[in-house]
Amino acid sequence: MLRVHFSDADLARTRLCGASDPLWDIAISLHRFQTRHGRWAHAEWHRTTRRRLREKGLERALRRVLLPLYPRAAYFPDFLTPFQGSEGLDAGLEAVLAAPPSRVRNEVAQLDRVVGAPSWAGRLAERAVREEFVQLLRAYHDVAVAPYEDQVHARIEAERAARCRDLMDGGVEGMLASLGPSMRWERPVLHAAYHPSVDRDLYLDGRGMLLVPSYFLLQKPITFADPGLPPVLVYPLAHEPAAPPLSDDPGAPLTALIGRARAAALCAIAHGATTGEIARAAGVSASSASRHATALRDAGLITSRRHGANVLHTLTPVGASVLRAAVRPGHQRDTRTPHSDGR
């Protein structure tokens, strides 16, 4: 169990990360290769990324370098997920490269004590070795994370939209109370399910906390092992089986109500979608997707807001109710949580 202690000053300084952190994406996606638990949530990613790694000649490096350094265990080195990663991939990799040699040696030694470290890992304290390692991290990111950036971005934006709604309704405490079933807010402490071998208290001491939603993380949040580092809590997005598809029957309730293209657009927006993503889901042009989004927004079914160069659309409570009510039991596929991972 992890207990995070907030003061009033910490609540005032707590914020939600504006985007996915690529260094945490690297670390946690590597954890996905180390368990079959919950694989259904990333089944397509796992299958496709394995193939891409093989095609790029990175399977050996995955087995011998990356997985041993990022064990799905009670500990892996903090320098591999620097706070600067919240500023982007380049900033994060530069911070990995700039980590003091003494810190690298100490954290590798701690890894060895906790779960065992590869014999060569101590050489990461050498600048030249770390330069090669950073190149490998970039190559892995290009294969395993970058191809999914649009999908990850859409899910993160939908999460931010939901948490911002909680923030407006209940302040920072309302947002903390809504972070998911693995966490429980009891003022002034956030109780979080954690690795079973870990029981710790983290006192923020006025520093606040950066909340980082993670597409690849399942069930339990993660934070730095070193309490002296800037406080970060990486927490999982809710992964659910995909929404039931629309029936091919043109008389399906939602299609009959608003037309097939707008029905497809509303389904695409279920977890948050940009105008381009709506266009691809509905099989229409970007301009048509924009018109459909305007009609849905005018009807009170979705909300839209600009983020950078994109406009993100998310369901309103009314839109979510319409979508749920319109999918008849006879049109649903089996949405029970699969257990093909052998649990």
Side-chain angles (χ1 to χ4, degrees), residues 222-245:
I222 305 178
T223 190
F224 291 130
D226 183 353
L229 293 173
V232 169
L233 187 70
V234 184
Y235 71 93
L237 296 176
H239 286 279
E240 299 175 354

Side-chain angles (χ1 to χ4, degrees), residues 147-168:
Y148 292 85
E149 282 182 342
D150 287 345
Q151 182 176 338
V152 172
H153 177 75
R155 291 295 311 279
I156 296 294
E157 280 302 302
E159 170 68 10
R160 280 173 54 81
R163 297 293 75 78
C164 285
R165 202 172 288 134
D166 295 324
L167 180 66
M168 288 186 291

Side-chain angles (χ1 to χ4, degrees), residues 16 27 61 77 158-159 189 216 256 290 320:
L16 190 63
E159 170 68 10
V189 179
F216 292 103
S290 181

Side-chain angles (χ1 to χ4, degrees), residues 284-295:
V284 299
S285 67
S287 59
S288 292
S290 181
R291 288 195 297 273
H292 291 314
T294 298

Side-chain angles (χ1 to χ4, degrees), residues 8 96 115 146 200 209 221 229 239 269 279 310 313 315:
D8 288 343
V96 172
V115 294
R200 62 179 288 206
M209 174 168 270
L229 293 173
H239 286 279
I269 295 168
N310 296 313
H313 310 280
L315 295 179

Side-chain angles (χ1 to χ4, degrees), residues 46 72 77 85 101 189 191 200 222 246 262 272 280 294 301 322 330:
H46 186 275
R72 186 173 177 267
V189 179
H191 302 259
R200 62 179 288 206
I222 305 178
L246 288 174
R262 280 181 194 163
R280 290 192 290 274
T294 298
L301 301 180
V322 168

